[in-house]
Amino acid sequence: MWWPGTLIGAGAGFAIASIPGAMLGALLGQALDRRLNLQGWAQVRERLGGRPALRNDELLFVLLGRLAKSDGRVVDGHIQQARHEMRALDLSEPAQRRAVAAFNRGKTGNDHLRGYLRRLATQPHAAEGVLRACWRMVWADGRAGTGERELLAQWGKWLGWTPQQVQALAVDYEPHKHSLPNNGVTYQEALRLLGVSATSEPSQIKRAYRRLLSRHHPDKIAGSGATPLQVRDATDRTRELHNAYRLIRERRDFR
């Protein structure tokens, strides 16, 4: 893929001094691309508009922020889900601050995301992890709105996924299809799954849940180069943890 500065430099150099000028211009343009971290025309537009280019660790949270705001209002469920994703990825404090800023940036809807997502398409496991995280955000308020579905279909297209493939991921996170009663999980089984007891303090239960979620989160597994089967297993395990924690929290009446 041509980087913007490289392409512009080569074109300008060719106009001035034919092939030797194009070669020199391309080298100078590439140096500028690297210095400014320009890897596509989206970053150029953002720079011209006064917006810094997105870092790799910010893209996911920009997407999540865009989804949360897409149907008009960000609710507490969206915010809690964004926090879950940060904990699951085990982000450092500086990375968490960038994630929060990226989430808020995403709510504005001003970023051009096509170039970023097309580059991410070259990393299939990471692309799937992003789409799964997006579906988790979609269902954070208990429903999937038209605007959210349209965004995911478009982002999936840029990632090289068909609409059917994107939609197929939705069922893994759709609340009414994966509630505990339907899965037959009992309160005692939920306690065993989290490694806690009926007398554990809420703070202990929360820590156990977050620790296990961080260990088994599919995005973290995908980022380490796992196979699709391993990512699927991690997704199933994460869903079980979500369901177990929800059941215990409802039974014990804490947030």
Side-chain angles (χ1 to χ4, degrees):
M1 181 186 69
W2 286 102
W3 288 3
T6 305
L7 185 59
I8 293 172
F14 183 82
I16 295 172
S18 191
I19 294 177
M23 295 175 64
L24 178 60
L27 288 173
L28 294 175
Q30 187 177 69
L32 181 64
D33 284 330
R34 293 183 181 277
R35 182 175 181 81
L36 298 180
N37 192 31
L38 298 177
Q39 301 179 27
W41 297 108
Q43 289 97 322
V44 174
R45 289 193 294 270
E46 287 162 4
R47 291 276 182 170
L48 293 175
R51 297 178 66 83
L54 289 173
R55 297 165 54 108
N56 290 339
D57 60 352
E58 295 170 335
L59 175 60
L60 171 61
F61 290 93
V62 167
L63 296 172
L64 298 182
R66 178 79 65 88
L67 283 171
K69 185 67 174 179
S70 63
D71 281 340
R73 187 167 67 94
V74 177
V75 300
D76 183 64
H78 294 133
I79 296 172
Q80 294 301 322
Q81 184 60 41
R83 290 174 178 166
H84 275 306
E85 300 296 341
M86 283 189 275
R87 286 193 294 268
L89 293 172
D90 198 21
L91 299 182
S92 65
E93 287 191 14
Q96 287 183 36
R97 289 193 291 270
R98 289 195 299 270
V100 170
F103 184 82
N104 291 330
R105 174 173 170 171
K107 291 190 294 185
T108 68
N110 293 330
D111 286 286
H112 301 280
L113 300 171
R114 181 174 181 173
Y116 295 108
L117 293 173
R118 285 196 178 280
R119 285 195 304 280
L120 188 63
T122 63
Q123 305 172 49
H125 295 324
E128 180 175 349
V130 163
L131 287 173
R132 289 186 176 280
C134 286
W135 274 117
R136 289 193 291 272
M137 179 58 71
V138 166
W139 289 115
D141 61 353
R143 64 185 185 87
T146 301
E148 293 167 316
R149 291 182 181 277
E150 290 176 350
L151 279 176
L152 275 178
Q154 181 63 74
W155 295 345
K157 179 180 179 181
W158 293 338
L159 287 168
W161 287 53
T162 67
Q164 293 77 17
Q165 289 174 318
V166 174
Q167 183 59 40
L169 296 180
V171 298
D172 286 339
Y173 307 101
E174 194 169 354
H176 73 268
K177 290 189 177 181
H178 295 286
S179 61
L180 280 170
N182 291 339
N183 289 337
V185 177
T186 68
Y187 179 58
Q188 291 300 323
E189 289 170 337
L191 291 172
R192 284 196 295 272
L193 186 60
L194 294 189
V196 297
S197 70
T199 59
S200 296
E201 293 293 328
S203 59
Q204 294 176 304
I205 297 171
K206 290 178 183 179
R207 284 195 298 270
Y209 167 65
R210 291 169 181 172
R211 182 176 63 253
L212 290 168
L213 190 65
S214 176
R215 183 185 305 166
H216 297 287
H217 199 285
D219 291 349
K220 193 171 185 179
I221 298 294
S224 65
T227 66
L229 178 59
Q230 290 172 321
V231 173
R232 171 67 66 174
D233 289 342
T235 298
D236 292 340
R237 181 69 168 177
T238 298
R239 184 168 60 248
E240 291 174 353
L241 292 171
H242 282 313
N243 289 337
Y245 181 64
R246 183 169 63 248
L247 177 60
I248 295 170
R249 189 177 60 187
E250 291 173 355
R251 179 70 66 87
R252 296 283 300 277
D253 192 26
F254 67 86
R255 293 184 62 82

